[in-house]
Amino acid sequence: MTWLDLNRSYAVDMLVQHVRLAVPAIAISVLVAVVLGRVAWRWPKVGTAVLGGASLLYSVPALPLLIVIPVVLGIPLRSGLTLIVALAVYGTALLAGTAADAFRSVDPRVREAAEAMGFSSMGLFWKVDLPLAVPVLLSGVRVITVSTVSLVTIGALVGIPSLGNLLTDGFQRGIREEILTGLIGTMLLAIVLDALLVATGAVLTPWRRTAEATG
Amino acid sequence: MSLFGDAIGWILDGAHWGGPSGIDTRILQHLAVTFAAVGIAAVLAIPLGVLIGHTGRGRLVVVALAGAVRAVPTLGLLTLLGLALGIGIEAPLLALVALGFPSLLAGAYAGVEAADAGAVDAARAVGMSEWQIVTRVEIPLGADVLLGGIRAATLQIVATATLAAYISDTGLGRYLFAGLKSRDYAQMLAGALLVAALALVLDLTLAALQRASRPTQGKVPS
């Protein structure tokens, strides 16, 4: 890996850029998808329309979406914001259905018990529904995290820097090690973020560990 | 927003149709690459998926494989193959086959596995061979899920076939990359709209096929 020895600071720079693009896109996807999933769960008729629209959006190819977004929002094509918006649209489209499933997975008897104990509707959402929806929601978040980290690379094609630059630059200059560094770096980043999500999920659902321990 | 008008105008301009880089030729190329990749991936993945679904062996491998492939950036695979194989259609085609493989495998395996166990047992009890069980019971019953896998793979491949233009002179992606290079936003946007429209039409067609394949009551395969 002589290429990496000589270009360590450049590679690290691109890794940092990659994280700065992927993490906000994933965070926005989760926030919007939870809201949409909640709406779809509460009002199933609206939900069908919303989820149908989401799956239609998901069928729009990524690179073209990257070209269309600057025109719609009036932002420069080469801005990181363009890529974040595009990936957030994708992530949301993929996650909204899972979020609705996550709320449906909450045992109605638990909700009734909480209501009987005098939880307000806000309290019910934050203290009962959302925590109990975490396991299903997390499975969806893991999927979009991996796909988002991988998709960030196409930004390099329109001039938004990330580990994808190692792929295009390596190809144009014929440096195999550079492409491999970008490829493996992207996959490692996905694996690290996925592991962080699994750890976060374990912290957010302490009752699952207790249930496992006591059988 | 007038940029959209410019892009539509670009598409409707008669000078951009016909000839080796005309819109009609590019659409046909794009579809040819897509169908070739889906076809090759299907020939490799569907028999394997059916086998896994029928025997119930190797499931964990499928799940792990699908997860791992999702993490591989297609652009990385494409540039790596492009460097090894040179400019041309071989590298994009291989990358697209790899992209579609997990969805097809998962669809075939899940479809066959989801076939009603009672129906499979009944088929075995009336003396059907394993081959007959697979082709006459499990595949017809799992056709919906299997087609779902083909639809997902086709959608991924038609979208990503845009990237083929990065390495070869193929498909609608050419307009995108040519527009990027010459800062011709109308051309770039026109390419983007054409790919999106093609993907949408293909997805809706396959969705209709999938609906049509759902077994109706009383219609038993003979």
Side-chain angles (χ1 to χ4, degrees):
Chain A
M1 280 289 172
T2 43
W3 183 87
L4 189 56
D5 290 336
L6 293 171
N7 299 277
R8 194 168 298 263
S9 75
Y10 170 64
V12 170
D13 226 28
M14 291 300 119
L15 175 68
V16 171
Q17 292 295 326
H18 204 107
V19 174
R20 281 191 183 157
L21 293 166
V23 171
I26 295 163
I28 295 170
S29 306
V30 174
L31 282 177
V32 179
V34 165
V35 172
L36 290 182
R38 184 68 176 178
V39 167
W41 168 85
R42 180 73 184 72
W43 297 282
K45 276 190 185 156
V46 184
T48 313
V50 170
L51 298 182
S55 80
L56 206 64
L57 259 183
Y58 186 66
S59 72
V60 176
L63 192 57
L65 191 62
L66 218 48
I67 310 281
V68 171
I69 281 174
V71 184
V72 177
L73 298 185
I75 49 177
L77 172 63
R78 285 173 169 75
S79 131
L81 191 60
T82 301
L83 188 63
I84 292 176
V85 172
L87 296 176
V89 166
Y90 257 124
T92 305
L94 202 58
L95 193 57
T98 314
D101 289 341
F103 286 119
R104 256 181 251 124
S105 76
V106 177
D107 188 343
R109 286 170 304 181
V110 176
R111 303 191 79 247
E112 276 166 29
E115 262 175 69
M117 283 171 67
F119 272 87
S120 66
S121 59
M122 281 301 270
L124 197 62
F125 174 74
W126 287 106
K127 294 189 175 153
V128 180
D129 284 341
L130 195 57
L132 289 176
V134 163
V136 176
L137 198 59
L138 188 70
S139 68
V141 177
R142 291 179 65 188
V143 171
I144 68 151
T145 296
V146 173
S147 69
T148 302
V149 168
S150 157
L151 267 180
V152 166
T153 55
I154 64 161
L157 294 172
V158 298
I160 304 165
S162 71
L163 285 173
N165 283 34
L166 272 58
L167 307 174
T168 51
D169 187 68
F171 176 68
Q172 276 154 14
R173 299 200 291 162
I175 308 172
R176 208 167 74 99
E177 285 83 352
E178 186 176 1
I179 299 180
L180 277 174
T181 307
L183 187 76
I184 295 169
T186 307
M187 292 179 71
L188 282 179
L189 181 60
I191 292 169
V192 168
L193 289 180
D194 187 55
L196 281 176
L197 281 175
V198 173
T200 311
V203 172
L204 289 177
T205 56
W207 61 89
R208 282 167 45 110
R209 251 173 313 169
T210 320
E212 269 168 37
T214 56
Chain B
M1 284 303 244
S2 78
L3 271 174
F4 274 119
D6 293 346
I8 303 289
W10 194 95
I11 294 173
L12 296 179
D13 186 344
H16 297 136
W17 290 78
S21 61
I23 294 172
D24 41 352
T25 314
R26 293 298 186 202
I27 289 177
L28 287 178
Q29 284 174 347
H30 205 99
L31 284 174
V33 173
T34 300
F35 289 139
V38 173
I40 296 171
V43 166
L44 297 171
I46 290 179
L48 188 63
V50 169
L51 190 72
I52 291 170
H54 181 70
T55 60
R57 278 180 211 156
R59 243 184 289 175
L60 287 174
V61 179
V62 178
V63 176
L65 181 80
V69 170
R70 221 184 355 241
V72 179
T74 306
L75 184 62
L77 194 58
L78 184 70
T79 46
L80 203 59
L81 286 167
L83 214 54
L85 302 173
I87 302 289
I89 196 61
E90 294 85 0
L93 197 58
L94 259 177
L96 291 173
V97 168
L99 179 74
F101 191 84
S103 299
L104 289 162
L105 187 67
Y109 128 78
V112 165
E113 199 198 42
D116 184 1
V120 175
D121 286 342
R124 198 164 281 138
V126 299
M128 277 195 185
S129 68
E130 292 302 303
W131 174 252
Q132 284 172 319
I133 291 174
V134 169
T135 54
R136 297 194 183 174
V137 180
E138 289 179 333
I139 291 180
L141 285 177
D144 189 16
V145 180
L146 203 151
L147 276 171
I150 296 180
R151 185 179 160 200
T154 308
L155 194 62
Q156 281 173 304
I157 288 177
V158 76
T160 315
T162 317
L163 293 184
Y166 186 65
I167 290 204
S168 69
D169 183 24
T170 314
L172 290 167
R174 276 319 305 164
Y175 299 132
L176 253 142
F177 290 112
L180 265 170
K181 215 164 214 173
S182 57
R183 300 184 178 256
D184 177 356
Y185 215 104
Q187 183 184 3
M188 193 161 53
L189 193 58
L193 294 177
L194 285 168
V195 178
L198 192 66
L200 215 61
V201 169
L202 215 54
D203 190 44
L204 292 175
T205 312
L206 287 168
L209 261 176
Q210 198 182 358
R211 265 196 304 277
S213 82
R214 289 200 182 127
T216 42
Q217 289 289 323
K219 199 179 99 184
V220 180
S222 54

